[in-house]
């Protein structure tokens, strides 16, 4: 039997055509990285300070010898409750705001009215552009000692992020069901409730738990700037450089993060593979009920009273701060400083990402839990890498900045590296999670044809993971821009340091200008990373 | 233990006060906290209570003892309910003093001036004997090879770090004395650092990342006595004396607590503490003396000059 | 080759000799895919023994085991392809057993072994799509890419899980011819799960029927009439 394909003439092989846009973005990123490293003085004078290894060693050695006296541990346990309460109440507020905000920024809402959609997105850049700590600083001048400060400082920026994520999720749901409902005469809201929300629900729940874990870390940063809880204890011990106590607080924080992560993981697993039963899933029900109870307890524990938000004093303080803050300062010196510091800020964030992204990609493999059985050695290695990443993100950036400054000379670099190792902790976890959720079949097939582990990873994992990891990385780049406020005061601080000093000297007009600059920078970064995402898709 | 005192003006690298009153109550016992307060802040705290604050610029365990002692002593002497709130940073304390959340605050020189300017009617109450003539110590890394001297110009070419940005003894006054000596206080190579606390300044100078720094002389002495100073750090110079810490009373406190002569009674209480009193012990002082606003005129002037008071 | 296992399969005792072309038939869930996974090493047997090309993979370690698996090629309904990679990289993945990690990495930037990859793609009629993203190809085209990967791998034992499910009759015949030639040219064997009785008749010489994880039929194709075969599939589906 002779079988021939219907190819009368053999087609010429087309030339290999490189995707110009992707190459342009790649080369552009490399150029920006070199520019940033040059700005950090890496190609110039010395950056290392070997004399400080003893100080760094003291910090590192204390990791093995944390303070464990009963009184201090009791203090930490009570502080952890405060941190949890702020995180839970803040997340709840963020989700509520996010749900409302998502309506405002969803393409579905705006339809073809693109200008309105762009304006709404721009509006969201304002709460998102300011770090939680900055929100805390601003709110304390309005609300004083009220616990709302901590809750709002988490809830407002997270609400804006959540709104964006929810809107993207809803917008990505296929339109068919929604259109059918609209065609059948359903109103917009009803159609969205029945046609758009159910398919997006899984992603939403998963995002909610991710936010909770982030909120725990944010609550600690807020604690460091005063909101009480673990971060407050950490700040006290950090100020007198009692590293043993700092590590105890870090371990307590790591434990909280781990709990949030484990809960989120259980929920995601259940959503991805629901048990084959018509009844409600007990794990999911418990998670939802537990969350509601936790939020209720948090509001009670923090003694949140809505009246405080609209009290006469708050209104009066708002009036006086606004009067002092308007018009913004526009003197040339300030604007020039802002310009120079914006450059520092961008360079710091780029270096931070350049540290975090390759690290995260390399560690994602070992950190991901293998789908099937695995050797004990592999499991131990995986646990160690995951624990390492957890500690990297549990040590707050200001602590990293100080201890790195022991072994590096002052400049952009210590702060950038501090953000880099912290971001590595976060991004490594996200990348590992993305790897776990990949289709395992391509890699299994490659192993089955005898490929080496490195080859199987290059051809079966990397191409699949690159997309989601890059999306996470671009998002963390935006976050790193805001986080420069945490590592700023030593050496070169970027806009964050300037903001902190203007706030310390109560120069409200200058504060307004710097805030505007930070928001614009965040917005530009958002725009650039949006374009980059589109090009890499 | 007594060598650890209220001594550091910088405060930790922190910008806000602890916002949860519950957190503090929890310190006394979580169950008690739960029982005492179930609703909003203003309802939970007694309206007539005197709200006292101080920056936790000493070691945390001292802080824990401090607030009980001071609150009890003031409460006993004035027959008032006293609530004590440790605050993690002076700038936040300034805001809380302005909003009226804190009535009586232990301020540094500069932040006291900031608070007074933002809160018309605020009055200084008392200061420690040592606060009338407080000093800062300039320290250098031994690697610089500098011998102790009064010549601050030798510091100009060094990498230099202050403490907290609005610290009087770790920033404002040293910057002033540097300028007096002809050194641009912002002109150090790479710009000056702000370590965030006096202990961090010591560690950074010990590491050599910064070759020189400046800190509160009381912390310097206390750490020297404890033997906690790295041998790589040596004293280079000590600044001339200036006025620093003081208790500041808010304008609304007298009316709210229903004690018209509150300021005088507080001043009498502090200045009348007998030598060896636990409160004096905690504050590392042999006596409190009356304080006047004019004591800090020079600080205000310098603060304006350096752009730290607006 | 002998398989004996008790996972989704129980009491299976099957031996395939060199030069044989064996069709696996049975309803979905009958254990065909599990049997193929046992044979290519992606699933270890929970009990029993698997011998592949005369060796026991469980007794081998590291490099030796990889060398063994390099001689076994599998087509899995194109699910093993990575959509984001260009077609040529998915084909070249068949050579990863030979390539060093560095060469594998460099090939992603500058494709290596291009003549062989293009020749293999030409065999399946896709040479003109070599540099396209695989996800842009149709289901049938992707199945042909998976076959091209096998062509560059040059395995001795060819395993295939419904390799022609998305192909039209002409292309399906072409694909099975390629797989059969590939297997027998090197003295190996072909073990293929198939649903189409016509393809079984034309390309295989032995039929193994699975049901509920057990072998229920094992006979030469020639011994089965067209009606028998059709009946077998009728019962199976």
């Amino acid at each position: 039997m002779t079988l021939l394909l219907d190819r009368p003439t053999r087609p010429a092989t087309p030339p290999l055509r490189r995707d110009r846009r992707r190459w342009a973005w790649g080369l552009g990123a490399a150029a920006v990285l070199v520019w940033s490293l040059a700005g950090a003085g890496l190609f110039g004078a010395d950056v290392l300070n070997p004399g400080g290894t003893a100080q760094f060693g003291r910090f590192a050695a204390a990791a093995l010898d944390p303070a464990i006296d009963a009184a201090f541990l009791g203090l930490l346990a009570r502080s952890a409750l405060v941190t949890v309460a702020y995180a839970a109440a803040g997340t709840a507020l963020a989700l509520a705001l996010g749900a409302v905000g998502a309506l405002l920024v969803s393409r579905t809402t705006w339809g073809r009215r693109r200008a309105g959609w762009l304006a709404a997105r721009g509006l969201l850049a304002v709460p998102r552009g300011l770090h939680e700590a900055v929100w805390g600083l601003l709110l304390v001048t309005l609300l004083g000692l009220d616990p709302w400060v901590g809750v709002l400082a988490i809830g407002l920026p997270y609400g804006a992020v959540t709104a964006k994520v929810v809107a993207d999720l809803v917008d990505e749901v296929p339109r068919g069901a929604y259109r059918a409902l609209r065609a059948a005469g359903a109103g917009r809201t009803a159609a969205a409730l029945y046609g758009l929300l159910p398919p997006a629900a899984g992603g939403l729940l998963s995002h909610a738990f991710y936010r909770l874990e982030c909120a725990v870390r944010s609550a600690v940063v807020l604690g460091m700037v005063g909101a009480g809880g673990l971060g407050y204890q950490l700040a006290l011990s950090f100020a007198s450089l009692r590293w043993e106590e700092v590590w105890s607080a870090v371990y307590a924080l790591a434990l909280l993060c781990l709990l949030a992560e484990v809960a989120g993981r259980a929920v995601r697993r259940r959503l991805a593979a629901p048990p084959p039963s018509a009844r409600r899933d007990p794990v999911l029900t418990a998670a939802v009920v537990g969350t509601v109870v936790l939020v209720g307890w948090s509001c009670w524990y923090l003694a949140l009273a809505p009246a405080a938000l609209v009290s006469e004093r708050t209104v009066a303080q708002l009036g006086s701060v606004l009067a002092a803050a308007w018009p913004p300062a526009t003197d040339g010196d300030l604007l020039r400083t802002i310009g120079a510091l914006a450059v520092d800020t961008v360079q710091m964030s780029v270096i931070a990402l350049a540290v975090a992204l390759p690290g995260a990609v390399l560690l994602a493999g070992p950190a991901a839990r293998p789908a099937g059985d695995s050797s004990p050695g592999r499991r131990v290695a995986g646990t160690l890498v995951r624990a390492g990443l957890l500690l990297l993100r549990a040590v707050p950036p200001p602590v990293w900045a100080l201890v790195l400054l022991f072994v590096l000379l002052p400049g952009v670099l210590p702060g950038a590296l501090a953000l880099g190792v912290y971001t590595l902790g976060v991004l490594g976890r996200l990348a590992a999670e993305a790897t776990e959720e990949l289709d395992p079949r391509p890699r299994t097939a490659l192993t089955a044809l005898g490929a080496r582990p490195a080859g199987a990873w290059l051809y079966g994992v990397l191409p699949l993971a690159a997309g989601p990891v890059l999306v996470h990385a671009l998002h963390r780049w935006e976050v790193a821009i805001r986080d420069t406020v945490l590592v700023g005061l030593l050496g070169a601080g970027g806009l964050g340091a300037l903001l902190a000093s203007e706030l310390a000297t109560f120069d409200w007009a200058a504060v307004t200008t710097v805030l505007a600059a930070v928001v614009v920078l965040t917005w530009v970064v958002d725009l650039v990373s949006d374009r980059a995402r589109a090009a890499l898709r | 233990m007594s060598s650890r005192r209220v001594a550091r003006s910088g405060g930790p690298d922190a910008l806000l006060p602890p916002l949860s009153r519950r957190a503090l109550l929890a310190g006394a016992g979580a169950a008690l906290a739960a029982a005492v307060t179930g609703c909003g802040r203003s309802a939970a705290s007694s309206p007539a209570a005197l709200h006292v604050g101080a920056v936790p610029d000493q070691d945390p365990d001292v802080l824990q003892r401090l607030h009980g002692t001071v609150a009890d002593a003031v409460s006993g002497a004035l027959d008032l309910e006293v609530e004590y709130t440790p605050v993690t940073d002076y700038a936040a304390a300034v805001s809380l003093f302005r909003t009226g959340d804190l009535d009586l605050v232990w301020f540094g020189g500069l932040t006291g001036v900031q608070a007074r300017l933002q809160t018309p009617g605020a009055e200084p109450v008392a200061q420690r004997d040592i606060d009338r003539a407080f000093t800062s110590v300039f320290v250098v890394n031994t690697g610089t090879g500098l011998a102790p001297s009064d010549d601050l110009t030798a510091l100009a070419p060094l990498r230099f770090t202050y403490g907290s940005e609005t610290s009087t003894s770790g920033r404002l006054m040293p910057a002033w004395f540097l300028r007096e000596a002809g050194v641009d206080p912002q002109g150090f190579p790479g710009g000056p650092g702000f370590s965030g606390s006096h202990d961090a300044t010591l560690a950074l100078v010990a590491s050599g990342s910064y070759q020189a720094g400046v800190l509160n002389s009381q912390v310097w002495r206390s750490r020297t006595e404890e033997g906690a100073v790295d041998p790589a750090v040596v004293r280079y110079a000590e600044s001339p004396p200036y006025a620093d810490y003081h208790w500041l009373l808010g304008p609304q406190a007298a009316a709210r607590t229903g004690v018209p002569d509150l300021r005088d009674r507080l001043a009498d209480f502090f200045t009348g503490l007998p030598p060896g009193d636990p409160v004096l012990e905690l504050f590392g002082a042999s006596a409190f003396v009356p304080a006047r606003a004019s004591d800090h005129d020079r600080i205000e002037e310098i603060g304006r000059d350096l752009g730290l008071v607006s | 080759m002998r398989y004996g296992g008790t996972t989704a399969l129980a009491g299976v005792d099957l031996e395939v000799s060199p030069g044989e072309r064996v069709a696996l038939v049975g309803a979905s869930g009958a254990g065909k895919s599990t049997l193929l996974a046992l044979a290519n090493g992606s699933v270890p047997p929970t009990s029993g023994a698997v011998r592949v090309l005369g060796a026991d993979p469980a007794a081998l370690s590291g490099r030796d085991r990889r060398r063994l698996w390099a001689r076994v090629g599998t087509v899995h309904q194109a699910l093993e392809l990575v959509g984001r990679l260009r077609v040529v990289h998915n084909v070249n993945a068949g050579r990863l057993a030979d390539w060093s990690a560095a060469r594998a990495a460099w090939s992603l930037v500058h494709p290596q072994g291009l003549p062989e990859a293009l020749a293999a793609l030409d065999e399946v009629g896709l040479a003109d799509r070599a540099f396209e993203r695989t996800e842009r190809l149709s289901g049938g085209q992707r199945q042909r890419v998976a076959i091209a990967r096998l062509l560059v791998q040059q395995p001795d034992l060819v395993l295939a899980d419904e390799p022609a499910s998305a192909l039209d009759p002409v292309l399906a015949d072409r694909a099975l011819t390629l797989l059969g030639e590939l297997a027998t040219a090197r003295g190996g064997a072909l073990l293929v799960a198939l649903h189409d009785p016509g393809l079984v008749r034309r390309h295989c010489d032995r039929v193994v029927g699975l049901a509920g994880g057990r072998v229920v039929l094992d006979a030469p194709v020639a011994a089965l009439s067209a009606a028998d075969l059709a009946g077998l599939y009728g019962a199976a589906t």
Side-chain angles (χ1 to χ4, degrees):
Chain A
M1 193 173 339
T2 315
L3 292 155
L4 280 174
L5 284 175
D6 52 347
R7 48 187 167 92
T9 55
R10 182 185 162 142
T13 309
L16 170 61
R17 198 168 290 153
R18 310 242 178 237
D19 185 331
R20 283 211 190 128
R21 276 206 308 171
R22 293 169 78 182
W23 275 84
W25 277 103
L27 291 175
V32 169
L33 177 60
V34 170
W35 169 71
S36 299
L37 289 174
L42 210 61
F43 308 127
D46 284 351
V47 291
L48 287 177
N49 172 35
T53 37
Q55 268 74 22
F56 188 86
R58 234 165 269 162
F59 161 77
L64 299 175
D65 182 28
I68 48 167
D69 60 292
F72 189 67
L73 290 186
L75 186 65
L76 283 186
R78 289 188 296 272
S79 306
L81 286 182
V82 178
T83 297
V84 168
Y86 274 118
T91 308
L93 179 67
L95 294 179
L97 290 177
V100 177
L103 286 179
L104 287 178
V105 297
S106 151
R107 281 178 199 272
T108 313
T109 310
W110 292 99
R112 287 172 185 281
R113 285 160 293 180
R114 201 173 149 72
W117 176 78
L118 270 178
R121 283 253 154 160
L123 204 65
L124 269 197
V126 176
R128 222 151 34 88
L130 303 186
H131 194 273
E132 296 91 80
V134 176
W135 273 110
L137 285 165
L138 294 174
L139 287 164
V140 79
T141 60
L142 300 180
L143 297 168
L145 272 178
D146 200 279
W148 273 111
V149 172
V151 176
L152 286 174
I154 294 176
L156 291 177
Y158 277 27
V161 174
T162 307
K164 190 176 166 219
V165 171
V166 172
D168 286 349
L169 277 171
V170 169
D171 284 341
E172 272 166 30
V173 170
R175 295 283 98 147
Y178 175 77
R179 285 210 199 94
L181 287 166
R182 290 280 286 153
R188 259 172 195 277
T189 317
L193 272 180
Y194 281 81
L196 295 181
L197 214 50
L204 296 183
L205 206 52
S206 154
H207 179 74
F209 274 91
Y210 171 62
R211 275 292 132 208
L212 185 63
E213 193 213 323
C214 293
V216 169
R217 276 181 281 122
S218 287
V220 166
V221 168
L222 276 172
M224 287 197 85
V225 301
L230 273 182
Y232 175 63
Q233 302 303 336
L234 203 152
L236 291 179
S237 304
F238 176 50
S240 35
L241 305 190
R242 299 178 163 219
W243 296 126
E244 292 79 13
E245 292 177 5
V246 168
W247 276 107
S248 302
V250 164
Y251 289 137
L253 167 62
L255 196 66
L256 289 186
C257 286
L258 194 65
L259 286 178
E261 201 185 313
V262 166
R265 208 183 150 72
V267 168
R268 268 200 315 280
R269 280 280 155 93
R270 283 308 176 114
L271 284 172
S277 154
R279 293 191 309 130
R280 281 182 195 285
D281 185 333
V283 172
L284 287 185
T285 314
V288 171
V289 170
T291 311
V292 169
V293 169
L294 181 65
V295 170
W297 168 82
S298 302
C299 294
W300 171 83
Y301 189 67
L302 293 172
L304 286 178
L309 287 180
V310 290
S311 75
E312 220 172 285
R313 190 188 76 178
T314 306
V315 174
Q317 292 293 338
L318 183 63
S320 73
V321 166
L322 285 182
W326 198 264
T330 50
D331 57 289
D333 269 354
L334 180 66
L335 295 182
R336 266 190 299 280
T337 310
I338 287 178
L341 291 181
V343 169
D344 278 356
T345 305
V346 170
Q347 290 180 335
M348 280 170 94
S349 67
V350 167
I351 296 175
L353 205 62
V355 170
L357 183 56
V361 168
L362 287 177
L363 292 178
R369 291 175 179 79
D373 297 330
S374 53
S375 66
R378 168 72 183 77
R379 280 201 299 275
V380 170
T383 309
L384 284 179
V385 172
R386 279 194 299 277
L389 290 173
L390 182 63
L391 283 185
L392 286 187
R393 62 181 186 270
V395 174
V399 176
W400 279 126
L402 185 72
V403 298
L404 285 171
L405 193 55
F406 289 148
V407 288
L408 296 168
L409 293 180
V412 168
L413 206 56
L417 287 184
L419 279 185
V421 289
Y422 176 76
T423 306
L424 171 58
V426 181
L427 201 56
R429 184 217 138 169
L430 292 173
E433 225 158 58
T435 309
E436 283 168 26
E437 282 165 18
L438 291 182
D439 183 353
R441 288 172 298 195
R443 186 190 195 162
T444 314
L446 291 176
T447 311
L449 63 77
R452 289 157 211 276
W457 184 80
L458 277 169
Y459 281 71
V461 177
L462 186 66
L464 287 170
V469 170
L470 267 174
V471 167
H472 285 305
L474 287 168
H475 172 64
R476 290 310 302 186
W477 181 35
E478 197 188 307
V479 176
I481 291 263
R482 301 191 292 123
D483 281 357
T484 53
V485 72
L486 297 177
V487 296
L489 282 172
L490 293 153
L495 287 175
L498 180 62
L499 185 61
S501 43
E502 300 297 1
L503 279 166
T505 55
F506 302 97
D507 187 349
W508 290 111
V511 168
T512 311
T513 314
V514 182
L515 285 184
V518 172
V519 168
V520 168
L521 194 60
T522 308
W523 184 70
V524 169
V525 164
D526 187 28
L527 221 65
V528 170
S529 65
D530 204 53
R531 287 286 163 89
R533 266 193 290 268
L536 296 170
R537 210 167 276 147
Chain B
M1 239 11 219
S2 60
S3 61
R4 283 198 195 125
R5 283 163 184 160
V6 182
R8 300 181 14 252
S9 78
D13 187 25
L15 305 159
L16 286 189
L19 301 162
S20 167
R21 178 186 27 76
R22 280 296 179 88
L24 303 167
L25 289 176
L32 182 68
V36 170
T37 49
C39 46
R41 184 188 56 81
S42 40
S45 53
S46 160
L50 183 70
H51 301 287
V52 180
V55 171
D57 58 350
Q58 65 285 341
D59 302 316
D61 54 340
V62 179
L63 173 85
Q64 294 302 327
R65 286 189 295 144
L66 185 69
H67 52 103
T69 311
V70 175
D72 290 351
V74 176
S75 174
L78 276 74
D79 193 22
L80 268 178
E81 197 182 328
V82 174
E83 286 184 5
Y84 193 104
T85 308
V87 183
T88 45
D89 183 84
Y90 278 7
V94 171
S95 289
L96 293 173
F97 190 75
R98 189 187 70 234
T99 57
D101 279 289
L102 296 176
D103 298 317
L104 180 66
V105 179
W106 177 244
F107 274 121
L110 173 61
T111 41
V113 167
Q114 288 180 327
R116 210 149 34 79
L117 291 175
Q118 292 185 24
T119 320
E123 290 176 286
V125 174
Q127 60 189 335
R128 296 174 301 185
D129 46 0
I130 51 172
D131 291 321
R132 283 181 172 275
F134 213 79
T135 55
S136 303
V137 170
F138 290 89
V139 292
V140 291
N141 187 290
T142 44
T144 59
L146 289 176
S149 152
D150 283 335
D151 177 22
L152 296 183
T153 52
L155 300 175
L158 302 180
R159 296 187 298 271
F160 185 92
T161 182
Y162 295 106
S164 189
E165 269 207 302
T166 48
S167 164
T168 306
S169 53
R171 164 81 192 281
L172 179 83
M173 293 314 293
W176 171 256
F177 292 122
L178 282 167
R179 177 183 285 190
E180 292 283 278
V183 179
D184 177 0
Q186 292 295 113
F188 295 100
F194 295 99
S195 70
S197 74
H198 299 295
D199 284 302
T201 301
L202 281 176
L204 284 171
V205 175
S207 77
S209 290
Y210 285 100
Q211 298 159 297
V214 64
L215 72 156
N216 178 321
S217 58
Q218 209 191 0
V219 172
W220 168 254
R221 292 206 180 92
S222 152
R223 296 292 179 269
T224 309
E225 280 166 26
E226 289 169 26
V229 177
D230 191 297
V233 185
V234 292
R235 179 178 170 282
Y236 175 73
E238 185 151 355
S239 75
Y242 51 87
D244 200 346
Y245 298 88
H246 54 283
W247 284 108
L248 194 65
L249 182 68
Q252 75 296 338
R256 240 205 30 251
T257 53
V259 184
D261 55 346
L262 184 62
R263 183 197 172 274
D264 295 339
R265 290 182 60 183
L266 279 169
D268 289 347
F269 161 72
F270 280 115
T271 54
L273 287 170
D277 188 277
V279 173
L280 287 175
E281 191 77 359
L282 280 168
F283 278 81
S286 50
F288 275 100
V289 296
R292 291 175 310 274
S294 58
D295 292 342
H296 298 98
D297 283 352
R298 190 160 78 117
I299 298 237
E300 181 177 343
E301 204 179 299
I302 296 170
R304 281 189 198 286
D305 208 52
L306 295 174
L308 294 171
V309 173
S310 50
Chain C
M1 284 138 279
R2 180 186 298 278
Y3 312 99
T6 52
T7 39
L9 298 169
V12 173
D13 190 350
L14 178 67
E15 195 169 333
V16 177
S17 315
E20 269 193 309
R21 293 178 300 171
V22 181
L24 273 179
V25 300
S28 300
K32 299 186 303 264
S33 297
T34 309
L35 186 57
L36 291 171
L38 276 172
N40 80 5
S42 46
V43 174
T46 43
S47 71
V50 177
R51 287 187 76 77
V52 177
L53 298 167
D56 176 7
L60 299 174
S61 61
R63 194 195 297 180
D64 289 338
R65 197 184 322 186
R66 277 211 313 276
R67 285 210 180 125
L68 175 65
W69 294 139
R71 295 170 60 202
V72 181
T74 317
V75 188
H76 311 258
Q77 302 176 15
L79 295 174
E80 71 273 37
L81 303 181
V82 176
R84 292 185 61 89
L85 282 181
R86 293 172 193 265
V87 169
V88 65
H89 297 313
N90 267 316
V91 173
N92 271 340
R95 313 183 67 183
L96 284 179
D98 301 334
W99 284 1
S100 68
R103 186 166 186 201
W106 177 239
S107 180
L108 286 173
V109 183
H110 185 84
Q112 302 286 295
L114 208 48
E116 293 90 335
L118 290 176
L121 282 169
D122 196 34
E123 288 279 354
V124 296
L126 284 174
D128 55 331
R129 315 297 294 269
F131 298 114
E132 263 182 65
R133 282 243 209 134
T134 310
E135 62 199 0
R136 302 227 170 97
L137 269 51
S138 73
Q141 287 170 327
R142 275 186 253 179
Q143 282 194 336
R144 288 189 276 155
V145 173
I147 291 168
R149 173 189 284 187
L150 234 60
L151 293 179
V152 302
Q153 188 192 345
Q154 290 290 323
D156 294 331
L157 170 62
V158 176
L159 307 171
D161 196 354
E162 292 170 31
S165 59
L167 299 179
D168 66 48
V170 176
L171 287 173
D173 272 320
R174 167 79 185 155
L176 277 157
T177 306
L178 281 172
L179 290 177
E181 283 172 358
L182 185 65
T184 49
R186 297 165 62 102
L190 171 69
L191 182 59
V192 54
L194 279 176
H195 270 318
D196 179 349
L199 287 175
V200 173
R201 283 203 82 81
R202 288 195 295 278
H203 298 282
C204 300
D205 24 56
R206 180 175 158 198
V207 176
V208 172
L210 286 176
R214 294 181 178 278
V215 175
V216 293
L217 170 84
D218 189 348
V221 172
L224 295 169
S225 71
D228 286 342
L229 262 180
L232 188 66
Y233 282 98
T237 43

